[in-house]
Amino acid sequence: MKAKLIESVGCLQRSLRLCIRNVALFGSIAALNLTGCSPSDLIDTDVPSGTNDPRAYNTAEGALLRYRGLISSFRQGVSGGTGSQLGFIPTSSLISDELIASQANSINTSGSDASNIAVDSRNLDPESREGAIVQVTAGAWIALHKVRLAAIDAIGALHSYAPQSPPDRIGHAFALWGMSEVMLAELYCSGIPLSRIEFGGGAYIASGSTTEEVYSSALKLFDSALVYATDSLAYRHLAMVGKGWALLGLNRYAEAAAAVAEVPVEFVYNNSHVSEGSGLNFTYYQPDRLVSISGIVSDREGILGLPYISAADPRIDLIQLPSDASLPGVPAFMVRKFVQPAPGAGPVTVASGIEARLIRAEYELSQGGSAWLNTLNDLRSSAGIAGLDPLTDPGVESRVDTLFKERAFWLFLTGRRHGDMRRLVRQYGKPIGNVFPRGPYTGHRSGAYGTAVVLPAPITERDVNTSYSGCFHTNA
């Protein structure tokens, strides 16, 4: 039984992810235009019309192209693609307290504008078939599953057709795969189908995994990354930080701290984008108007949000943009590096040694004593950012809040805040109403914040994956 390579990835993604058309899974390798696809196509040995023959890429050069395509898919899945497709970071920043949904143009009641508002206001019905809701829940879902499938294909191709290639590339692929699964666990409800194809033949259509199971799956991938990435410290450190991130989500603080112990504070793994508008898909501006794809920086959003603007914290270097006409009187701010010198110009941080130190501090907090505060103050004094005074102990009742505020400012717009808010509810016992924005909605339209704390899986997943019956639950 022979599984098609590029086509099989596209077919599985199409059959399980909203029947997408014209998906370029591997950048320049193949632009798929599939007019019909079903699970049976996964083992069809005939190459469908309108697609490239995958056998042309069964070479060492083709394996390298697949690997590069995985990196491209990861960049888009995390930072956001061109146009209106939001990636993981922009989506998670909206549902948290980091961004307010914004559009400089007229409000579209069914397109990307309404999608962003639905996430920002947390009015997300898991059973909704409204176009805007499906669009926003499907965006990062599709993009992150696409990374998973591309990683499987790249790893298989490197093993089969490029055995002399540095094994670190395989380690890198495993690390990116693991990161995509942690991001799925952070953003979506419990009950995520980890469907997959096997390189060289066969497919597994999943019924769904709990949030804990998805984190655990990612841990195995990071361990595989560490086995293969023997020479590249950057890829090893990426896997270590990813493993620490997943272990925090599993409430395993000691193991998380151990996982990141070797990561130096100066380590940074960035998504680098080279074309204008293809970088971090947040908000940027043209000379005379704001072009808002997802949102502008929030300040004390919904009563409980953190003061990302008014705190004037040097860790968040903001620039004020031309006023957003759709939000009269609301100052429009965005992180400077994402709008200058060109839209999408700045690198997007995916993992860092700073995060490793914050993971260690959280473990130390769980153990009592003052080590956690010393770690935070060491970071404030050694990370090369002037103007950060030492913290003082706020007392037992406020220590968790202090730590998580430090995480919020150090890791601003890196996709960590929403997961942290979920953990404050799930692992630290805080009421949702004391963590997530609430009260009158401060963005577009009148109304109030809803109750959603996670994104539901797109309802159309059920239409094409008969093994899946929806979210197990939508709790934090």
Side-chain angles (χ1 to χ4, degrees):
M1 186 167 63
K2 179 179 180 182
K4 296 195 299 280
L5 304 178
I6 296 173
E7 281 81 3
S8 62
V9 174
C11 288
L12 183 62
Q13 177 156 327
R14 175 175 161 74
S15 62
L16 295 182
R17 316 289 173 229
L18 308 178
C19 299
I20 300 168
R21 297 188 181 192
N22 302 313
V23 178
L25 285 183
F26 298 102
S28 62
I29 294 181
L32 305 182
N33 185 15
L34 304 175
T35 58
C37 191
S38 66
S40 63
D41 292 327
L42 294 167
I43 56 173
D44 183 2
T45 57
D46 295 330
V47 177
S49 61
T51 63
N52 293 337
D53 186 341
R55 289 166 292 195
Y57 305 101
N58 294 351
T59 63
E61 182 180 0
L64 181 58
L65 288 174
R66 294 164 191 244
Y67 167 67
R68 290 173 177 169
L70 162 63
I71 296 171
S72 177
S73 294
F74 183 80
R75 286 173 179 166
Q76 293 188 43
V78 174
S79 309
T82 56
S84 61
Q85 178 182 319
L86 298 184
F88 165 74
I89 294 178
T91 306
S92 66
S93 298
L94 282 171
I95 197 171
S96 71
D97 62 350
E98 293 180 311
L99 294 181
I100 300 175
S102 171
Q103 278 287 351
N105 303 318
S106 60
I107 299 301
N108 182 333
T109 59
S110 62
S112 60
D113 300 1
S115 301
N116 299 344
I117 293 167
V119 174
D120 186 32
S121 65
R122 298 177 23 245
N123 285 288
L124 296 165
D125 180 1
E127 301 300 318
S128 175
R129 289 187 176 275
E130 181 183 346
I133 305 301
V134 170
Q135 175 182 331
V136 74
T137 57
W141 179 272
I142 294 166
L144 294 174
H145 280 290
K146 177 177 170 181
V147 173
R148 296 180 57 252
L149 299 177
I152 294 169
D153 189 74
I155 291 167
L158 288 168
H159 269 302
S160 298
Y161 308 122
Q164 304 306 314
S165 179
D168 296 275
R169 290 173 178 166
I170 294 176
H172 188 202
F174 271 116
L176 298 184
W177 183 0
M179 280 287 185
S180 71
E181 293 198 357
V182 174
M183 291 172 187
L184 284 166
E186 293 272 294
L187 186 56
Y188 286 93
C189 64
S190 179
I192 298 171
L194 296 179
S195 300
R196 56 181 289 164
I197 59 168
E198 302 298 338
F199 185 85
Y204 169 66
I205 311 301
S207 59
S209 298
T210 65
T211 300
E212 293 75 16
E213 288 169 340
V214 178
Y215 281 130
S216 297
S217 173
L219 290 179
K220 296 176 183 177
L221 298 173
F222 292 127
D223 284 340
S224 295
L226 292 170
V227 169
Y228 283 98
T230 55
D231 296 323
S232 172
L233 285 177
Y235 299 159
R236 291 186 64 80
H237 293 156
L238 172 64
M240 290 173 182
V241 173
K243 185 174 181 179
W245 186 13
L247 287 165
L248 283 188
L250 289 169
N251 204 14
R252 292 157 60 178
Y253 303 123
E255 293 171 78
V260 301
E262 298 178 19
V263 181
V265 70
E266 63 271 14
F267 164 69
V268 179
Y269 182 95
N270 286 325
N271 273 350
S272 297
H273 300 265
V274 296
S275 61
E276 183 172 309
S278 67
L280 195 56
N281 206 343
F282 286 149
T283 304
Y284 57 88
Y285 66 92
Q286 294 176 351
D288 60 343
R289 68 188 180 96
L290 182 66
V291 180
S292 176
I293 294 176
S294 59
I296 56 177
V297 174
S298 303
D299 195 65
R300 302 185 186 277
E301 181 181 354
I303 303 172
L304 298 171
L306 292 177
Y308 297 111
I309 299 173
S310 57
D313 192 290
R315 290 170 290 189
I316 303 178
D317 183 19
L318 299 176
I319 182 172
Q320 186 166 0
L321 308 179
S323 297
D324 181 355
S326 61
L327 284 173
V330 177
F333 286 88
M334 183 42 60
V335 175
R336 188 183 305 273
K337 71 175 181 177
F338 297 141
V339 296
Q340 289 187 342
V348 181
T349 300
V350 174
S352 69
I354 288 175
E355 182 177 1
R357 293 296 185 276
L358 293 167
I359 290 171
R360 187 175 79 185
E362 189 163 353
Y363 159 66
E364 291 168 340
L365 179 62
S366 73
Q367 299 302 295
S370 61
W372 69 279
L373 189 62
N374 295 334
T375 296
L376 292 182
N377 282 330
D378 286 345
L379 187 57
R380 280 176 158 246
S381 65
S382 64
I385 298 180
L388 293 175
D389 296 328
L391 299 168
T392 58
D393 191 337
V396 174
E397 296 299 321
S398 299
R399 287 172 183 167
V400 169
D401 291 337
T402 297
L403 173 66
F404 276 76
K405 183 177 179 180
E406 282 294 283
R407 284 183 58 86
F409 279 86
W410 279 118
L411 304 177
F412 185 65
L413 296 189
T414 62
R416 299 324 195 248
R417 177 61 177 165
H418 172 236
D420 280 358
M421 294 167 80
R422 290 182 66 181
R423 291 197 302 113
L424 282 168
V425 175
R426 186 176 70 243
Q427 294 169 201
Y428 289 89
K430 290 184 176 291
I432 291 173
N434 289 351
V435 176
F436 283 82
R438 57 181 169 83
Y441 177 50
T442 56
H444 289 301
R445 304 180 184 172
S446 59
Y449 284 94
T451 59
V453 294
V454 295
L455 259 63
I459 195 169
T460 42
E461 174 79 16
R462 293 182 234 170
D463 297 339
V464 293
N465 179 358
T466 57
S467 298
Y468 182 62
S469 58
C471 297
F472 299 159
H473 63 76
T474 55
N475 302 329

